[in-house]
mmCIF file with all atom_site columns, all heavy atoms in Angstrom:
data_model
loop_
_atom_site.group_PDB
_atom_site.id
_atom_site.type_symbol
_atom_site.label_atom_id
_atom_site.label_alt_id
_atom_site.label_comp_id
_atom_site.label_asym_id
_atom_site.label_entity_id
_atom_site.label_seq_id
_atom_site.pdbx_PDB_ins_code
_atom_site.Cartn_x
_atom_site.Cartn_y
_atom_site.Cartn_z
_atom_site.occupancy
_atom_site.B_iso_or_equiv
_atom_site.pdbx_formal_charge
_atom_site.auth_seq_id
_atom_site.auth_comp_id
_atom_site.auth_asym_id
_atom_site.auth_atom_id
_atom_site.pdbx_PDB_model_num
ATOM 1  N N   . ARG A 1 27 ? 3.455  6.799  -16.521 1.00 0.00 ? 158 ARG A N   1
ATOM 2  C CA  . ARG A 1 27 ? 4.737  7.298  -16.033 1.00 0.00 ? 158 ARG A CA  1
ATOM 3  C C   . ARG A 1 27 ? 5.554  6.168  -15.413 1.00 0.00 ? 158 ARG A C   1
ATOM 4  O O   . ARG A 1 27 ? 6.779  6.104  -15.599 1.00 0.00 ? 158 ARG A O   1
ATOM 5  C CB  . ARG A 1 27 ? 4.526  8.429  -15.031 1.00 0.00 ? 158 ARG A CB  1
ATOM 6  C CG  . ARG A 1 27 ? 5.809  9.012  -14.502 1.00 0.00 ? 158 ARG A CG  1
ATOM 7  C CD  . ARG A 1 27 ? 6.676  9.600  -15.596 1.00 0.00 ? 158 ARG A CD  1
ATOM 8  N NE  . ARG A 1 27 ? 7.935  10.058 -15.028 1.00 0.00 ? 158 ARG A NE  1
ATOM 9  C CZ  . ARG A 1 27 ? 9.099  10.012 -15.650 1.00 0.00 ? 158 ARG A CZ  1
ATOM 10 N NH1 . ARG A 1 27 ? 9.160  9.590  -16.895 1.00 0.00 ? 158 ARG A NH1 1
ATOM 11 N NH2 . ARG A 1 27 ? 10.179 10.428 -15.056 1.00 0.00 ? 158 ARG A NH2 1
ATOM 12 N N   . ALA A 1 28 ? 4.911  5.256  -14.705 1.00 0.00 ? 159 ALA A N   1
ATOM 13 C CA  . ALA A 1 28 ? 5.629  4.124  -14.115 1.00 0.00 ? 159 ALA A CA  1
ATOM 14 C C   . ALA A 1 28 ? 6.277  3.274  -15.205 1.00 0.00 ? 159 ALA A C   1
ATOM 15 O O   . ALA A 1 28 ? 7.425  2.839  -15.061 1.00 0.00 ? 159 ALA A O   1
ATOM 16 C CB  . ALA A 1 28 ? 4.678  3.282  -13.261 1.00 0.00 ? 159 ALA A CB  1
ATOM 17 N N   . HIS A 1 29 ? 5.573  3.060  -16.307 1.00 0.00 ? 160 HIS A N   1
ATOM 18 C CA  . HIS A 1 29 ? 6.145  2.290  -17.424 1.00 0.00 ? 160 HIS A CA  1
ATOM 19 C C   . HIS A 1 29 ? 7.351  3.026  -18.013 1.00 0.00 ? 160 HIS A C   1
ATOM 20 O O   . HIS A 1 29 ? 8.351  2.393  -18.367 1.00 0.00 ? 160 HIS A O   1
ATOM 21 C CB  . HIS A 1 29 ? 5.098  2.040  -18.505 1.00 0.00 ? 160 HIS A CB  1
ATOM 22 C CG  . HIS A 1 29 ? 4.088  1.013  -18.125 1.00 0.00 ? 160 HIS A CG  1
ATOM 23 N ND1 . HIS A 1 29 ? 4.380  -0.317 -17.937 1.00 0.00 ? 160 HIS A ND1 1
ATOM 24 C CD2 . HIS A 1 29 ? 2.762  1.127  -17.883 1.00 0.00 ? 160 HIS A CD2 1
ATOM 25 C CE1 . HIS A 1 29 ? 3.297  -0.978 -17.595 1.00 0.00 ? 160 HIS A CE1 1
ATOM 26 N NE2 . HIS A 1 29 ? 2.287  -0.116 -17.553 1.00 0.00 ? 160 HIS A NE2 1
ATOM 27 N N   . GLU A 1 30 ? 7.254  4.341  -18.119 1.00 0.00 ? 161 GLU A N   1
ATOM 28 C CA  . GLU A 1 30 ? 8.386  5.125  -18.623 1.00 0.00 ? 161 GLU A CA  1
ATOM 29 C C   . GLU A 1 30 ? 9.595  4.975  -17.702 1.00 0.00 ? 161 GLU A C   1
ATOM 30 O O   . GLU A 1 30 ? 10.717 4.801  -18.182 1.00 0.00 ? 161 GLU A O   1
ATOM 31 C CB  . GLU A 1 30 ? 8.014  6.605  -18.736 1.00 0.00 ? 161 GLU A CB  1
ATOM 32 C CG  . GLU A 1 30 ? 7.027  6.912  -19.829 1.00 0.00 ? 161 GLU A CG  1
ATOM 33 C CD  . GLU A 1 30 ? 6.589  8.369  -19.839 1.00 0.00 ? 161 GLU A CD  1
ATOM 34 O OE1 . GLU A 1 30 ? 6.973  9.149  -18.950 1.00 0.00 ? 161 GLU A OE1 1
ATOM 35 O OE2 . GLU A 1 30 ? 5.834  8.720  -20.763 1.00 0.00 ? 161 GLU A OE2 1
ATOM 36 N N   . LEU A 1 31 ? 9.357  5.039  -16.406 1.00 0.00 ? 162 LEU A N   1
ATOM 37 C CA  . LEU A 1 31 ? 10.459 4.882  -15.449 1.00 0.00 ? 162 LEU A CA  1
ATOM 38 C C   . LEU A 1 31 ? 11.090 3.499  -15.557 1.00 0.00 ? 162 LEU A C   1
ATOM 39 O O   . LEU A 1 31 ? 12.314 3.365  -15.497 1.00 0.00 ? 162 LEU A O   1
ATOM 40 C CB  . LEU A 1 31 ? 9.963  5.138  -14.020 1.00 0.00 ? 162 LEU A CB  1
ATOM 41 C CG  . LEU A 1 31 ? 9.616  6.593  -13.689 1.00 0.00 ? 162 LEU A CG  1
ATOM 42 C CD1 . LEU A 1 31 ? 8.880  6.670  -12.359 1.00 0.00 ? 162 LEU A CD1 1
ATOM 43 C CD2 . LEU A 1 31 ? 10.860 7.453  -13.673 1.00 0.00 ? 162 LEU A CD2 1
ATOM 44 N N   . GLU A 1 32 ? 10.263 2.475  -15.735 1.00 0.00 ? 163 GLU A N   1
ATOM 45 C CA  . GLU A 1 32 ? 10.781 1.114  -15.871 1.00 0.00 ? 163 GLU A CA  1
ATOM 46 C C   . GLU A 1 32 ? 11.609 0.935  -17.135 1.00 0.00 ? 163 GLU A C   1
ATOM 47 O O   . GLU A 1 32 ? 12.519 0.115  -17.185 1.00 0.00 ? 163 GLU A O   1
ATOM 48 C CB  . GLU A 1 32 ? 9.631  0.108  -15.844 1.00 0.00 ? 163 GLU A CB  1
ATOM 49 C CG  . GLU A 1 32 ? 8.989  -0.010 -14.473 1.00 0.00 ? 163 GLU A CG  1
ATOM 50 C CD  . GLU A 1 32 ? 7.719  -0.830 -14.467 1.00 0.00 ? 163 GLU A CD  1
ATOM 51 O OE1 . GLU A 1 32 ? 7.290  -1.319 -15.532 1.00 0.00 ? 163 GLU A OE1 1
ATOM 52 O OE2 . GLU A 1 32 ? 7.133  -0.969 -13.376 1.00 0.00 ? 163 GLU A OE2 1
ATOM 53 N N   . LYS A 1 33 ? 11.281 1.710  -18.169 1.00 0.00 ? 164 LYS A N   1
ATOM 54 C CA  . LYS A 1 33 ? 12.029 1.641  -19.428 1.00 0.00 ? 164 LYS A CA  1
ATOM 55 C C   . LYS A 1 33 ? 13.326 2.447  -19.372 1.00 0.00 ? 164 LYS A C   1
ATOM 56 O O   . LYS A 1 33 ? 14.084 2.446  -20.326 1.00 0.00 ? 164 LYS A O   1
ATOM 57 C CB  . LYS A 1 33 ? 11.170 2.147  -20.585 1.00 0.00 ? 164 LYS A CB  1
ATOM 58 C CG  . LYS A 1 33 ? 10.037 1.228  -20.944 1.00 0.00 ? 164 LYS A CG  1
ATOM 59 C CD  . LYS A 1 33 ? 9.241  1.811  -22.092 1.00 0.00 ? 164 LYS A CD  1
ATOM 60 C CE  . LYS A 1 33 ? 8.038  0.953  -22.424 1.00 0.00 ? 164 LYS A CE  1
ATOM 61 N NZ  . LYS A 1 33 ? 7.209  1.558  -23.486 1.00 0.00 ? 164 LYS A NZ  1
ATOM 62 N N   . GLY A 1 34 ? 13.544 3.163  -18.265 1.00 0.00 ? 165 GLY A N   1
ATOM 63 C CA  . GLY A 1 34 ? 14.787 3.909  -18.109 1.00 0.00 ? 165 GLY A CA  1
ATOM 64 C C   . GLY A 1 34 ? 14.700 5.393  -18.406 1.00 0.00 ? 165 GLY A C   1
ATOM 65 O O   . GLY A 1 34 ? 15.731 6.058  -18.510 1.00 0.00 ? 165 GLY A O   1
ATOM 66 N N   . GLU A 1 35 ? 13.491 5.921  -18.526 1.00 0.00 ? 166 GLU A N   1
ATOM 67 C CA  . GLU A 1 35 ? 13.336 7.362  -18.736 1.00 0.00 ? 166 GLU A CA  1
ATOM 68 C C   . GLU A 1 35 ? 13.945 8.103  -17.544 1.00 0.00 ? 166 GLU A C   1
ATOM 69 O O   . GLU A 1 35 ? 13.952 7.596  -16.425 1.00 0.00 ? 166 GLU A O   1
ATOM 70 C CB  . GLU A 1 35 ? 11.859 7.734  -18.868 1.00 0.00 ? 166 GLU A CB  1
ATOM 71 C CG  . GLU A 1 35 ? 11.196 7.218  -20.123 1.00 0.00 ? 166 GLU A CG  1
ATOM 72 C CD  . GLU A 1 35 ? 11.598 7.995  -21.372 1.00 0.00 ? 166 GLU A CD  1
ATOM 73 O OE1 . GLU A 1 35 ? 11.809 9.216  -21.282 1.00 0.00 ? 166 GLU A OE1 1
ATOM 74 O OE2 . GLU A 1 35 ? 11.697 7.356  -22.430 1.00 0.00 ? 166 GLU A OE2 1
ATOM 75 N N   . PRO A 1 36 ? 14.436 9.314  -17.766 1.00 0.00 ? 167 PRO A N   1
ATOM 76 C CA  . PRO A 1 36 ? 15.039 10.072 -16.663 1.00 0.00 ? 167 PRO A CA  1
ATOM 77 C C   . PRO A 1 36 ? 14.038 10.357 -15.537 1.00 0.00 ? 167 PRO A C   1
ATOM 78 O O   . PRO A 1 36 ? 12.869 10.632 -15.800 1.00 0.00 ? 167 PRO A O   1
ATOM 79 C CB  . PRO A 1 36 ? 15.466 11.391 -17.319 1.00 0.00 ? 167 PRO A CB  1
ATOM 80 C CG  . PRO A 1 36 ? 15.458 11.143 -18.778 1.00 0.00 ? 167 PRO A CG  1
ATOM 81 C CD  . PRO A 1 36 ? 14.506 10.024 -19.037 1.00 0.00 ? 167 PRO A CD  1
ATOM 82 N N   . LYS A 1 37 ? 14.535 10.286 -14.313 1.00 0.00 ? 168 LYS A N   1
ATOM 83 C CA  . LYS A 1 37 ? 13.701 10.586 -13.160 1.00 0.00 ? 168 LYS A CA  1
ATOM 84 C C   . LYS A 1 37 ? 13.609 12.099 -12.999 1.00 0.00 ? 168 LYS A C   1
ATOM 85 O O   . LYS A 1 37 ? 14.526 12.827 -13.350 1.00 0.00 ? 168 LYS A O   1
ATOM 86 C CB  . LYS A 1 37 ? 14.269 9.926  -11.915 1.00 0.00 ? 168 LYS A CB  1
ATOM 87 C CG  . LYS A 1 37 ? 14.224 8.409  -12.022 1.00 0.00 ? 168 LYS A CG  1
ATOM 88 C CD  . LYS A 1 37 ? 14.676 7.735  -10.769 1.00 0.00 ? 168 LYS A CD  1
ATOM 89 C CE  . LYS A 1 37 ? 14.508 6.222  -10.930 1.00 0.00 ? 168 LYS A CE  1
ATOM 90 N NZ  . LYS A 1 37 ? 14.739 5.521  -9.705  1.00 0.00 ? 168 LYS A NZ  1
ATOM 91 N N   . MET A 1 38 ? 12.487 12.572 -12.468 1.00 0.00 ? 169 MET A N   1
ATOM 92 C CA  . MET A 1 38 ? 12.236 14.000 -12.368 1.00 0.00 ? 169 MET A CA  1
ATOM 93 C C   . MET A 1 38 ? 12.461 14.575 -10.976 1.00 0.00 ? 169 MET A C   1
ATOM 94 O O   . MET A 1 38 ? 12.385 15.783 -10.797 1.00 0.00 ? 169 MET A O   1
ATOM 95 C CB  . MET A 1 38 ? 10.815 14.304 -12.831 1.00 0.00 ? 169 MET A CB  1
ATOM 96 C CG  . MET A 1 38 ? 10.587 13.966 -14.274 1.00 0.00 ? 169 MET A CG  1
ATOM 97 S SD  . MET A 1 38 ? 8.951  14.454 -14.779 1.00 0.00 ? 169 MET A SD  1
ATOM 98 C CE  . MET A 1 38 ? 8.992  13.960 -16.478 1.00 0.00 ? 169 MET A CE  1
#
Side-chain angles (χ1 to χ4, degrees):
R158 181 60 184 146
H160 286 294
E161 290 175 355
L162 289 169
E163 290 171 359
K164 290 180 184 176
E166 292 285 325
K168 295 185 176 188
M169 297 184 179

